[in-house]
Amino acid sequence: RDGVDQKPVRSIEQFMHVSTAAGAMVMPFGAVLPAYSGGQFDIGAERLAFPGRTTAQPNGTPVMRMLAVKDQWLNTPYLWGGRSPFGVDCSGLTQMLFLVGGIALPRDAWQQAELGRPVESIEMSTNGDLAFFNNEQGRVINVGIVLEKRRLHPASGRVRIDTLDAEGIFNAEEKRHTHKLCLLKRAM
């Protein structure tokens, strides 16, 4: 079709109800909207209206776009391998939020750690950087998105905002460090 975006357009709403001939359909965050154009997309033979926000008309820098939707994920439960508002893991969260910024990240934290440029210290990190955490064997097992004022947006137990320091993630509720910092990267 003429005027249809050639790259996949995705929903950036946590959940969006879309009316179809058969009834309502729920479109989660990150859902691809086939043949999206002018606020409409195709499912089978139907042309449906999508009233929510999408990646079709990016507004601001990639980091601004990502940070604009990050709070929708707060308190989403942890689910190993999850990438949806029903449940998400650490690398699924970074993958979905970076997608809003127009950046495709690989699925696992260790794969994401191979991308981008190293950031020398927490003091030099900025909004949108990735913080990686390792286990006792030195293997990358967790990732979170760095926020201003040395805060971090991880998905561990549930999506939350914790403090990031030179040791790692400090969970104020548990009053302890839960993950050991091993690497900071700038992917954007």
Side-chain angles (χ1 to χ4, degrees):
R1 285 191 178 153
D2 291 335
V4 175
D5 250 351
Q6 295 305 307
K7 63 182 177 183
V9 173
R10 297 176 181 268
S11 165
I12 58 172
E13 299 291 347
Q14 200 68 342
F15 295 103
M16 181 57 60
H17 291 269
V18 175
S19 297
T20 73
M25 176 172 54
V26 177
M27 304 292 289
F29 189 100
V32 173
L33 306 172
Y36 182 87
S37 177
Q40 297 185 323
F41 69 105
D42 293 344
I43 294 286
E46 276 190 87
R47 187 88 178 134
L48 305 172
F50 188 81
R53 296 174 296 160
T54 72
T55 58
Q57 296 178 329
N59 218 354
T61 67
V63 171
M64 288 169 57
R65 293 193 304 269
M66 179 179 65
L67 295 176
V69 299
K70 71 174 174 34
D71 289 343
Q72 294 179 62
W73 290 85
L74 287 174
N75 296 311
T76 299
Y78 177 84
L79 176 64
W80 184 77
R83 296 181 352 137
S84 83
F86 296 109
V88 68
D89 66 12
C90 63
S91 55
L93 177 66
T94 55
Q95 190 180 46
M96 296 309 290
L97 287 174
F98 271 67
L99 200 57
V100 172
I103 296 171
L105 293 179
R107 179 63 187 98
D108 292 323
W110 68 269
Q111 294 169 313
Q112 293 176 8
E114 295 176 352
L115 302 177
R117 297 181 319 273
V119 176
E120 291 181 28
S121 67
I122 293 172
E123 291 75 23
M124 297 182 77
S125 66
T126 187
N127 279 335
D129 286 347
L130 293 173
F132 295 93
F133 307 90
N134 61 1
N135 61 14
E136 294 79 25
Q137 292 77 37
R139 200 182 103 179
V140 172
I141 58 164
N142 200 316
V143 60
I145 298 171
V146 175
L147 304 174
E148 63 190 351
K149 298 180 184 171
R150 295 190 188 153
R151 294 179 312 147
L152 186 74
H153 203 319
S156 184
R158 64 180 166 82
V159 177
R160 53 190 301 125
I161 294 179
D162 285 328
T163 301
L164 176 65
D165 62 26
E167 285 186 51
I169 300 173
F170 184 77
N171 181 317
E173 289 175 9
E174 297 180 20
K175 296 181 177 42
R176 69 181 184 94
H177 284 89
T178 58
H179 294 80
K180 181 183 171 201
L181 179 66
C182 66
L183 180 65
L184 294 162
K185 287 281 194 96
R186 185 156 301 143
M188 290 197 205

